[in-house]
């Protein structure tokens, strides 16, 4: 039993070591990826109750030359802990503004909004507001087209600083959406103090909506909350027609998920939307 224990421990250490090696390799490679153009923004449509596309969410994709596609769920936390999220986040915002500037010239895209995920460390960086302001000025993009998706983790501490910064950006014309809503620890009391325009129902509540009465109750509550605070509510992770119609019945008016469109390249969506505009 003793020997077994030692083997287990050895195995465990080896697994931790492998994990640490993989992390530092990925971190190193991510730094290079930024310079080598291996990153790309994909777009996923957001639709209204009539299934018209009103905007897109930008989602990062990394095509690693040897390891293939790596999920942002893996490399974003790494970028956060290493600080690489600062140049990475700058890159995403610069690309987003470039896209929006391009869309202004295309009738099929001109009215679309673009939602960008902002990580807490990026949002708290002292240069965040000034940097974003400069980007918007240089690109000539209407700030109202850009929506920043933040999470409840920003509200756990430094709440006054967060609110102050949000208000600064709000005055520039930007909009805020609270992502993964219902999974974090935000006190509901703060919600009315935040200059938000939208709540995003987390996909974990949508997944079992038709089977789990608790999830339905949560979705119902979020929709009611949105209504009383005058916030748009969007459901994410909508994968089936049944989920979509149940959400409609519950009063949800905006949707995102595989059922309406999977994340795909900007090329793909530009072609799709221009085709639609012509026919
Ligand atoms: P998120 O912001 O909650 O994005 C939604 C995730 O759900 C995306 O995963 C999307 O591809 C996926 N998804 C969309 N519709 C469906 C559906 O119907 N069913 C299912 N099962 N999944 C769906 P993705 O692209 O792998 O991104 C994972 C997370 O990585 C994002 O979660 C976000 O937190 C982060 N992320 C992605 N891009 C960026 C970025 O540019 N900056 C930052 N800071 N974080 C990002
Ligand atoms: Ca998001
Ligand atoms: Ca989300
Ligand atoms: Ca998420």
């Amino acid at each position: 039993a003793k020997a077994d224990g030692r083997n287990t421990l050895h195995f465990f250490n080896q697994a931790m070591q492998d994990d640490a090696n993989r992390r530092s390799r990925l971190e190193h490679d991510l730094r290079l990826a930024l310079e080598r153009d291996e990153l790309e923004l994909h777009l996923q449509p957001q639709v209204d109750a009539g299934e018209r596309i009103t905007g897109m969410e930008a989602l990062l994709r990394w095509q690693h030359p040897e390891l293939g596609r790596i999920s942002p769920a893996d490399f974003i936390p790494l970028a956060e802990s290493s600080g690489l999220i600062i140049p990475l986040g700058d890159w995403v915002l610069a690309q987003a503004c470039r896209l929006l500037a391009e869309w202004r010239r295309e009738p099929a895209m001109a009215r679309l909004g673009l939602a960008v995920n902002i990580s807490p460390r990026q949002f708290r960086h002292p240069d965040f507001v000034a940097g974003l302001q400069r980007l918007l000025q240089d690109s000539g993009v209407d700030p109202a087209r850009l929506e920043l998706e933040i999470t409840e983790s920003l509200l756990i501490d430094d709440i006054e600083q967060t609110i102050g910064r949000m208000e600064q950006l709000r005055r520039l014309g930007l909009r805020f959406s609270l992502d993964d809503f219902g999974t974090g620890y935000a006190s509901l009391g703060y919600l009315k103090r935040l200059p938000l325009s939208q709540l995003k129902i987390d996909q974990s509540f949508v997944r079992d909506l038709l089977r789990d009465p608790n999830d339905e109750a949560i979705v119902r509550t979020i929709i009611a909350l949105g209504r009383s605070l005058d916030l748009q509510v969007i459901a994410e992770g909508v994968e089936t027609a049944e989920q979509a119609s149940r959400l409609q019945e519950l009063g949800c008016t905006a949707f995102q998920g595989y059922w309406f469109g999977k994340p795909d390249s900007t090329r793909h969506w530009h072609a799709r939307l221009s085709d639609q505009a012509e026919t």
Side-chain angles (χ1 to χ4, degrees), residues 131-179:
L132 191 46
Q133 189 164 17
R134 206 173 326 114
L135 258 178
L136 288 164
Q137 273 163 4
D138 293 350
S139 59
V141 157
D142 175 7
R145 298 258 166 239
L146 192 60
E147 185 164 58
L148 305 183
E149 294 200 356
I150 57 169
T151 55
E152 289 168 87
S153 56
L154 258 187
L155 310 175
I156 296 168
D157 41 42
D158 277 337
I159 179 84
E160 297 305 327
Q161 197 212 39
T162 296
I163 294 176
R165 198 159 274 206
M166 284 178 75
E167 279 168 350
Q168 269 182 296
L169 291 161
R170 184 64 237 182
R171 278 194 295 273
L172 296 178
L174 289 133
R175 287 172 303 131
F176 285 97
S177 177
L178 195 52
D179 205 356

Side-chain angles (χ1 to χ4, degrees), residues 46 57-59 115-118 149-151 177-180 200 236 256:
Q46 302 181 326
E57 178 176 0
L59 293 161
V116 171
N117 293 286
I118 305 294
E149 294 200 356
I150 57 169
T151 55
S177 177
L178 195 52
D179 205 356
D180 305 341
K200 239 178 149 172
E236 68 176 338
Q256 184 180 348

Side-chain angles (χ1 to χ4, degrees), residues 40-57:
E40 195 186 351
L41 285 186
H42 273 196
L43 302 173
Q44 184 178 35
Q46 302 181 326
V47 305
D48 66 14
E51 302 199 8
R52 282 174 297 264
I53 297 177
T54 54
M56 297 280 183
E57 178 176 0

Side-chain angles (χ1 to χ4, degrees), residues 204-220:
S204 61
F205 305 122
V206 174
R207 192 178 308 130
D208 297 324
L209 180 64
L210 300 159
R211 285 186 299 263
D212 187 342
N214 290 326
D215 284 338
E216 190 190 293
I218 291 169
V219 167
R220 219 183 258 286

Side-chain angles (χ1 to χ4, degrees), residues 97-271:
C97 287
R98 259 185 47 183
L99 259 182
L100 281 169
E102 232 178 279
W103 289 357
R104 281 199 311 181
R105 288 178 267 112
E106 305 201 22
M109 315 291 284
R111 39 164 209 91
L112 297 184
L114 184 60
V116 171
N117 293 286
I118 305 294
S119 81
R121 187 160 176 183
Q122 184 187 3
F123 185 87
R124 291 211 168 93
H125 192 278
D127 299 335
F128 182 67
V129 175
L132 191 46
Q133 189 164 17
R134 206 173 326 114
L135 258 178
L136 288 164
Q137 273 163 4
D138 293 350
S139 59
V141 157
D142 175 7
R145 298 258 166 239
L146 192 60
E147 185 164 58
L148 305 183
E149 294 200 356
I150 57 169
T151 55
E152 289 168 87
S153 56
L154 258 187
L155 310 175
I156 296 168
D157 41 42
D158 277 337
I159 179 84
E160 297 305 327
Q161 197 212 39
T162 296
I163 294 176
R165 198 159 274 206
M166 284 178 75
E167 279 168 350
Q168 269 182 296
L169 291 161
R170 184 64 237 182
R171 278 194 295 273
L172 296 178
L174 289 133
R175 287 172 303 131
F176 285 97
S177 177
L178 195 52
D179 205 356
D180 305 341
F181 185 65
T183 62
Y185 308 94
S187 141
L188 290 183
Y190 283 128
L191 224 45
K192 62 175 192 290
R193 291 189 55 204
L194 301 174
L196 290 169
S197 58
Q198 180 176 269
L199 299 176
K200 239 178 149 172
I201 303 175
D202 188 67
Q203 53 190 54
S204 61
F205 305 122
V206 174
R207 192 178 308 130
D208 297 324
L209 180 64
L210 300 159
R211 285 186 299 263
D212 187 342
N214 290 326
D215 284 338
E216 190 190 293
I218 291 169
V219 167
R220 219 183 258 286
T221 304
I222 296 175
I223 292 169
L225 191 65
R227 220 171 251 153
S228 64
L229 294 173
D230 204 21
L231 301 173
Q232 168 162 277
V233 174
I234 184 168
E236 68 176 338
V238 183
E239 293 185 351
T240 67
E242 291 73 26
Q243 287 169 341
S245 64
R246 190 75 197 105
L247 285 160
Q248 292 244 22
E249 283 164 17
L250 294 172
C252 191
T253 54
F255 313 87
Q256 184 180 348
Y258 295 164
W259 176 251
F260 299 101
K262 291 192 173 175
D264 208 323
S265 65
T266 54
R267 224 171 315 107
H268 169 90
W269 287 111
H270 286 186

